[in-house]
Amino acid sequence: MAHFTKATSLHDWLNQRLGIDTVRRVMATEYWIPKNINFLWAMGMVLAITFGLLLISGIFLLMYYQPNVELAFDSVNYTIMQEVGYGWLWRHIHGVAASVVFLIIYIHMFTGIYYGSYKKGREMIWISGMLLFVAFSAEAFSGYMLPWGQMSYWAGMVITNLFAGGSLHADGLVEWIRGDYVPAQAFLNRFFMLHVLLIPLAILGLIGLHFGALRIPHVNNQDGEEIDFEAEAAKYKSGDKAGSKVIAFVNDFMSKDMMVVGIYLVFFFYLVFYHYDFAMDPVNFDPADGLKTPAHIYPEWYFLWSYEILRPFSTDVGLIAFAFAQVIFFALPFLDKSPNAVPASRRGLFKYWFWALLIDMIVLTAMGKLPPEGIFSTIGLVAALTFIGLWIILPFITKMEKKA
Amino acid sequence: MKNSSRRGFMGKAFGAVAGVGAVASLYAMKRSWDPLPSVKAAGFTTLDMSGYKENELVTEKWRGKPIFVLKQTADMVEKAKKNPKELERLIKIGDAYYLVCLGLCTHLGCIPGYNPDEQSFLCACHGGLYDFTGEVTKAPPPRGLDIPPFKIDGNKLVLGEEGPEYKKMLEAGTTLRA
């Protein structure tokens, strides 16, 4: 048995039993972050804080929400919105955060793509991040079912129908997922379970993996420079803080990180109090009706780009294109054949590839919201083909790239 | 050596038992997600076919899904008779012809709307078009509107039961099993 001495303070008592000084050193004061970064490096903390907001607001919503097809709509739109004290606050935080979290995820992703932060030992950071993106997508979709409005019902119908696999006609699988011929009680209950338990558990585990994946390769920097973290950390600890290329996670980096978080939260709560309506589709304020389809069914803005890749094609081709769009980002570290881990601006053709992908996804998003008619259909088709084409040419243009 | 092989045996024995248990629990989990017997049993709807008016779409309900009933005008029947693929899709009760189909687009399951002037169905979700017999005239839908299992019983139609006329449609490939 380990030897314990009479504690001189509460801190010492805990330290003898839990090693809190070691934990603090390993996790915070001697976890090193490069100096050469910008505000885009704060998006991880912004995401963590937003997830916290979703969790806390979700706990309060959970206390009054009723996962029952007869009661769900009123429990949200009447009980929570009108009866529960400050119920509207939790709902608006939850709805706005669910939307904004995807904006930050996309910024976080495109930052990683731009600076090459998925290469040279950072592949697992990218892959665990993509798993988080999938988990957040499933979490957003399952949560969207819960108010049981028209958009909930019909989005549930359309998305579960995707699992029939087009001409495979796997209706048995679709009915199995729903637990009924159409979205009904069994469907609402199981998506409620997924939304409040199983997927959040997966997200927590994946966040752990994502942070863990950062540990050995460390955070990238603005020049993709390979830093000898041990040597730079030694410099910092010996007192040469100005000469060292790194700073401590706590307090140095955190103080700047929280500055960005502070600005973000001002913007976030401005949306919650004055512009929450952007995250609340008016169609979803009609109760679910299985005998009436809304005139236009479209997903929330963050799914529009992949929805638009599905839409311009016939069922089977559309499904294949859609499946391609869902998984292709996972393969980025392996499709990028260039050894250069530097900003896109110094990478020849990849610079144009990056901006073309970003613009194409914005075009897809815009077209996905518009009705599929006339010129919009054509633009959507071209943008969908461009998306697929960009990923096909990526290995070739990066292979040609010279060593920077 | 003796010890390690004994440990190895215990490990394998545990692995085997755990493996059987894992497969068994996966089966139980799969079964728990199946539609309940009460859901499956509530699957029959009887329609009285005498009340429908020509070229006026009525939406009925079967297994929670909308069912379109469209009594054909003499004009429509003439047009359908020129195209056997269209005529096959209609159900003849007495002297009248009816389109009875699931009111769910075969693309992704939205409900198409009927335009009595153009005698066609338009799905607003992705722009699919069907004619008055439910046959596709514009993609993305991969096939015509599905016809539910039915049995003709005098002037009545029982949905959910497979009569000889429905079985003929299945064999001819007019509809998939809905």
Side-chain angles (χ1 to χ4, degrees), chain A residues 154 157-158 161-162 169 175-177 179-182 190 290-293 295-297 307 310-311 313 315 372, chain B residues 30 32-36 39-40 61 63-66 104 107-111 124-126 140 142-143 176-177:
Chain A
W154 287 98
M157 180 76 106
V158 170
N161 266 339
L162 291 177
H169 209 65
E175 280 160 21
W176 182 72
I177 291 169
D180 203 329
Y181 302 105
V182 288
R190 63 187 57 174
L291 297 183
K292 199 170 132 245
T293 327
H296 295 293
I297 298 180
Y307 180 68
L310 168 84
R311 211 163 59 158
F313 303 107
T315 314
Chain B
K30 186 265 166 198
S32 292
W33 272 55
D34 279 346
L36 302 178
V39 167
K40 291 193 134 172
K61 202 171 171 182
R63 293 187 182 170
K65 297 175 186 177
L104 296 172
H107 182 223
L108 287 175
C110 300
I111 301 182
C125 290
H126 305 97
R143 59 179 189 280
L176 289 170
R177 200 177 291 272

Side-chain angles (χ1 to χ4, degrees), chain A residues 52-201:
Chain A
L53 285 165
L54 283 163
L55 191 63
I56 293 166
S57 56
I59 286 169
F60 284 91
L61 293 173
L62 189 50
M63 291 191 278
Y64 290 96
Y65 175 73
Q66 303 268 10
N68 177 301
V69 290
E70 305 293 333
L71 306 172
F73 186 83
D74 285 339
S75 74
V76 174
N77 290 299
Y78 179 70
T79 310
I80 289 172
M81 288 304 289
Q82 299 190 28
E83 286 200 296
V84 178
Y86 285 84
W88 57 270
L89 178 65
W90 308 122
R91 189 190 186 193
H92 288 168
I93 288 177
H94 209 70
V96 169
S99 193
V100 170
V101 83
F102 278 91
L103 176 68
I104 310 296
I105 287 175
Y106 286 132
I107 295 174
H108 197 54
M109 275 173 75
F110 274 91
T111 303
I113 299 175
Y114 186 84
Y115 288 101
S117 308
Y118 49 88
K119 310 216 281 186
K120 286 193 173 169
R122 297 198 177 91
E123 291 85 355
M124 276 314 296
I125 305 174
W126 178 262
I127 290 169
S128 57
M130 279 307 300
L131 288 171
L132 272 169
F133 176 73
V134 171
F136 266 89
S137 299
E139 182 68 359
F141 173 72
S142 56
Y144 200 66
M145 299 298 103
L146 303 187
W148 210 239
Q150 272 291 68
M151 272 296 183
S152 304
Y153 183 91
W154 287 98
M157 180 76 106
V158 170
I159 298 297
T160 47
N161 266 339
L162 291 177
F163 289 90
S167 294
L168 297 177
H169 209 65
D171 292 340
L173 177 62
V174 175
E175 280 160 21
W176 182 72
I177 291 169
R178 291 178 187 157
D180 203 329
Y181 302 105
V182 288
Q185 184 58 51
F187 175 89
L188 179 60
N189 256 132
R190 63 187 57 174
F191 276 82
F192 173 67
M193 176 281 290
L194 291 173
H195 185 73
V196 305
L197 180 65
L198 194 55
I199 303 173
L201 272 181

Side-chain angles (χ1 to χ4, degrees), chain A residues 288-357:
Chain A
D289 181 353
L291 297 183
K292 199 170 132 245
T293 327
H296 295 293
I297 298 180
Y298 42 80
E300 288 291 281
W301 71 269
Y302 39 85
F303 292 144
L304 286 170
W305 68 271
S306 58
Y307 180 68
E308 185 58 21
I309 289 171
L310 168 84
R311 211 163 59 158
F313 303 107
S314 66
T315 314
D316 288 342
V317 180
L319 273 176
I320 293 167
F322 183 69
F324 176 85
Q326 297 307 308
V327 299
I328 198 63
F329 275 92
F330 276 98
L332 177 61
F334 311 103
L335 293 177
D336 183 344
K337 300 280 183 198
S338 160
N340 302 325
V342 293
S345 59
R346 296 178 215 159
R347 287 189 53 191
L349 284 175
F350 184 82
K351 173 167 79 175
Y352 302 103
W353 186 90
F354 173 85
W355 291 109
L357 181 71

Side-chain angles (χ1 to χ4, degrees), chain A residues 160 213 257 272 356 404:
Chain A
T160 47
D257 224 13
V272 168

